[in-house]
């Protein structure tokens, strides 16, 4: 029997409306509605088209609801915190929430063979929430202090941010990369099973900007637990974004160490003077000047002159070292799969059969390049060779 909720889930995951999907299938929007609500089953021709569109196996549409069986209720859409200048549409919120549902369900499948150490990000969040709720300091000071606490707890050290992504994954964050769109840099969410997710956009950016995205989303995860972001008005949304920005600046550029570095600069109003500091901290030149200004190290006039030069030199679009410093990519889930595949705890073929999807679907969902999976595909399509006969020549 055709399971309509599976079609609904995967349609929303891909961000399609019923009208958009019906146009792709060459049928009416009403027909898609009937498929999804169990009033009609699609013909084989339509099933084959949907297989190709979504990169799944036919049996995906005839199996029990995949998300329902593997943690669909694990994600509350309203809790997604976006790093974006504007509020997002309901359709976009739905699509990204569905992405996290699929990722959560995928992890629940493969983690039956794994054991994780205690999630340190959860411990850090609880520690910071307790501090925020008991301190009498003003909000700005609290956020600066929370950033200091986070950096110390995560054992990042105060000399660089080079391994920030790796450390966050190691301490318990699940970080992925996908095409979110031009208007969203990243987003984060706590799932109902207390797991922190960070989704990074995969548009070509710099290592410095990626570090800021990570720190910004970490700020949301630690400062804004259970905030219903989708219900906020524009003013409240901007305030929460500003808090995450403040946290990111304090987290990436610890006051004492950054102040010492700043004092070594000769021309503090010249963007090019910050290049060596950018190489050290892997933070944008623009962000370093903003942080210096907020700390009172760069007065208004010099900060204004700095920004004029920044624009004239084209650094607001592309900065020095952006093409030189390597951009780190998420590696935790890829390493988990490599462990399972290499040690024969699980094969790629078995995983694809369990999920009822094609390898392209898995690659897109996880943000892992196809070349990684190709090395394990030979096990799926192994052909019979003469060596398998175990014959000997007399």
């Amino acid at each position: 029997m055709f399971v309509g909720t599976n079609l609904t889930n995967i349609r929303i995951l891909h961000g399609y409306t019923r009208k958009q999907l019906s146009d792709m299938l060459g049928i009416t929007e009403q027909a898609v509605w009937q498929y999804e609500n169990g009033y009609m089953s699609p013909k084989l021709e339509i099933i084959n088209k949907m297989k190709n569109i979504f990169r799944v196996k036919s049996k995906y549409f005839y199996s029990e609801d995949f998300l329902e069986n593997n943690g669909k209720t694990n994600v509350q859409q309203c809790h997604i915190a976006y790093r974006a200048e504007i509020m997002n549409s309901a359709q976009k919120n739905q699509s990204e929430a569905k992405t996290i549902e699929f990722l959560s369900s995928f992890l629940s499948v493969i983690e039956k063979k794994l054991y994780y150490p205690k999630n340190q990000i959860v411990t850090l969040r609880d520690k910071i929430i307790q501090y925020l709720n008991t301190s009498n300091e003003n909000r700005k000071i609290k956020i600066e202090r929370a950033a200091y606490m986070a950096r110390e707890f995560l054992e990042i050290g105060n000399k660089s941010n080079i391994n920030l992504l790796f450390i966050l994954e190691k301490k318990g964050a699940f970080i992925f990369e996908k095409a979110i769109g031009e208007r969203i840099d990243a987003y984060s969410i706590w799932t109902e099973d207390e797991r922190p997710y960070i989704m990074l956009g995969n548009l070509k950016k710099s290592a410095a900007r990626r570090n800021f995205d990570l720190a910004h989303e970490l700020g949301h995860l630690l400062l804004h637990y259970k905030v219903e972001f989708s219900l906020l008005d524009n003013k409240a949304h901007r305030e929460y974004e500003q808090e995450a920005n403040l946290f990111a600046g304090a987290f990436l550029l610890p006051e004492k160490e950054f102040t010492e570095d700043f004092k070594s600069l000769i021309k503090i109003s010249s963007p090019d003077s910050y290049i060596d500091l950018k190489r050290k901290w892997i933070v944008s030149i623009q962000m370093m000047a903003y942080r210096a200004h907020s700390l009172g190290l760069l007065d208004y006039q010099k900060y204004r002159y700095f920004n004029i030069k920044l624009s004239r030199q084209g650094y607001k679009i592309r900065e020095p070292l952006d093409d030189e410093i390597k951009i780190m990519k998420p590696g935790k889930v890829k390493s988990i799969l490599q462990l399972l595949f290499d040690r024969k705890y699980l094969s790629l073929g078995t995983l694809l059969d369990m999920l009822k999807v094609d390898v392209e679907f898995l690659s897109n969902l996880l943000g892992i390049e196809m070349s990684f999976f190709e090395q394990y595909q030979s096990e799926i399509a192994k052909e019979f060779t003469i060596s398998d006969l175990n014959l000997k020549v007399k």
Side-chain angles (χ1 to χ4, degrees):
M1 173 185 276
F2 184 84
V3 180
T5 51
N6 281 333
L7 174 57
T8 302
N9 290 334
I10 205 163
R11 172 179 62 78
I12 294 174
L13 172 70
H14 286 75
Y16 298 145
T17 63
R18 289 194 181 104
K19 179 65 170 65
Q20 288 170 325
L21 180 58
S22 68
D23 290 343
M24 297 168 75
L25 295 173
I27 58 177
T28 66
E29 183 179 355
Q30 178 68 10
V32 175
W33 183 89
Q34 289 176 326
Y35 298 158
E36 292 186 352
N37 290 280
Y39 291 100
M40 185 170 69
S41 293
K43 295 179 181 178
L44 182 60
E45 175 190 358
I46 300 301
I47 291 291
N48 286 331
K49 286 184 178 180
M50 291 194 297
K51 277 175 51 184
N52 292 329
I53 291 170
F54 298 121
R55 309 307 301 174
V56 297
K57 302 179 185 299
S58 296
K59 56 186 176 182
Y60 169 85
F61 297 107
Y62 295 96
S63 304
E64 293 181 342
D65 186 327
F66 174 69
L67 297 187
E68 195 69 48
N69 287 342
N70 295 284
K72 180 179 181 180
T73 57
N74 202 27
V75 178
Q76 296 298 320
Q77 170 180 323
C78 64
H79 292 153
I80 298 179
Y82 291 98
R83 179 167 185 249
E85 295 181 359
I86 60 173
M87 301 289 284
N88 291 288
S89 67
Q91 182 182 352
K92 185 63 176 173
N93 285 345
Q94 264 195 324
S95 177
E96 297 308 329
K98 198 63 67 177
T99 295
I100 301 299
E101 285 182 11
F102 268 91
L103 287 170
S104 180
S105 298
F106 162 77
L107 289 173
S108 75
V109 169
I110 66 167
E111 286 171 351
K112 292 172 183 176
K113 300 179 179 293
L114 297 170
Y115 170 77
Y116 287 126
K118 185 177 180 181
N119 193 310
Q120 295 298 303
I121 304 291
V122 175
T123 303
L124 174 60
R125 180 204 66 198
D126 292 344
K127 183 178 179 180
I128 285 178
I129 288 175
Q130 182 182 20
Y131 161 69
L132 294 175
N133 290 336
T134 56
S135 172
N136 293 321
E137 298 165 313
N138 68 51
R139 185 69 176 175
K140 183 177 183 296
I141 293 175
K142 284 182 179 180
I143 293 173
E144 290 262 355
R145 174 63 181 167
Y148 173 81
M149 291 169 60
R151 194 172 182 100
E152 184 177 52
F153 182 90
L154 295 172
E155 301 176 297
I156 295 175
N158 287 333
K159 295 183 178 180
S160 181
N161 298 296
I162 190 169
N163 292 317
L164 178 57
L165 193 154
F166 169 78
I167 291 170
L168 291 179
E169 287 192 302
K170 182 179 179 181
K171 296 294 184 178
F174 284 82
I175 304 175
F176 296 90
E177 183 183 60
K178 66 170 285 194
I180 308 175
E182 293 184 1
R183 300 197 300 178
I184 305 173
D185 294 302
Y187 66 81
S188 56
I189 186 173
W190 284 100
T191 50
E192 295 300 291
D193 61 352
E194 296 285 83
R195 178 169 288 171
Y197 284 84
I198 295 176
M199 182 64 71
L200 301 169
N202 67 355
L203 293 176
K204 188 177 181 182
K205 299 181 76 172
S206 66
R209 293 183 186 277
R210 169 147 290 189
N211 271 348
F212 187 84
D213 288 345
L214 287 167
H216 178 99
E217 295 307 327
L218 179 64
H220 278 312
L221 290 170
L222 300 178
L223 301 174
H224 305 141
Y225 179 57
K226 294 291 187 181
V227 168
E228 295 178 324
F229 287 95
S230 65
L231 303 181
L232 299 175
D233 59 26
N234 286 330
K235 181 176 181 294
H237 179 261
R238 285 194 298 271
E239 288 173 354
Y240 280 114
E241 281 294 281
Q242 288 167 2
E243 288 194 349
N245 285 340
L246 175 60
F247 175 93
F251 178 84
L252 292 170
L253 297 168
E255 181 176 357
K256 179 182 176 182
E257 288 75 17
F258 177 66
T259 298
E260 290 176 359
D261 285 344
F262 184 85
K263 289 178 179 178
S264 68
L265 299 179
I266 299 174
K267 295 182 179 180
I268 60 175
S269 58
S270 171
D272 287 335
S273 295
Y274 294 73
I275 292 176
D276 285 341
L277 289 190
K278 177 175 178 175
R279 192 187 303 276
K280 173 184 176 179
W281 291 106
I282 314 182
V283 173
S284 73
I285 291 171
Q286 187 174 0
M287 179 63 208
M288 284 190 286
Y290 178 83
R291 176 71 169 147
H293 178 59
S294 68
L295 291 173
L297 303 173
L298 193 61
D299 65 35
Y300 174 77
Q301 284 298 110
K302 289 179 179 177
Y303 184 55
R304 182 174 176 274
Y305 180 71
F306 171 92
N307 279 298
I308 291 172
K309 292 199 70 174
L310 196 77
S311 294
R312 286 177 179 171
Q313 292 175 254
Y315 288 175
K316 286 194 173 182
I317 299 172
R318 203 75 182 160
E319 291 186 356
L321 303 182
D322 280 353
D323 296 322
E324 181 179 329
I325 304 175
K326 182 180 179 181
I327 301 174
M328 302 303 292
K329 296 174 69 67
K332 182 175 185 174
V333 172
K334 182 178 177 180
S335 295
I336 290 172
L337 288 176
Q338 186 172 8
L339 171 69
L340 295 174
F341 294 161
D342 287 349
R343 298 197 179 181
K344 310 300 182 184
Y345 295 135
L346 181 69
S347 70
L348 176 58
T350 299
L351 179 60
L352 295 176
D353 285 340
M354 290 167 65
L355 301 176
K356 302 170 184 64
V357 300
D358 294 343
V359 69
E360 293 87 351
F361 176 93
L362 198 58
S363 174
N364 290 332
L365 177 68
L366 302 179
I368 298 175
E369 64 279 5
M370 276 292 294
S371 58
F372 168 76
F373 294 103
E374 286 169 358
Q375 61 185 309
Y376 300 104
Q377 280 190 298
S378 60
E379 299 175 10
I380 299 174
K382 188 178 187 304
E383 295 183 358
F384 195 84
T385 65
I386 193 168
S387 61
D388 295 310
L389 294 175
N390 292 321
L391 294 177
K392 294 182 179 181
V393 179
K394 291 183 179 180

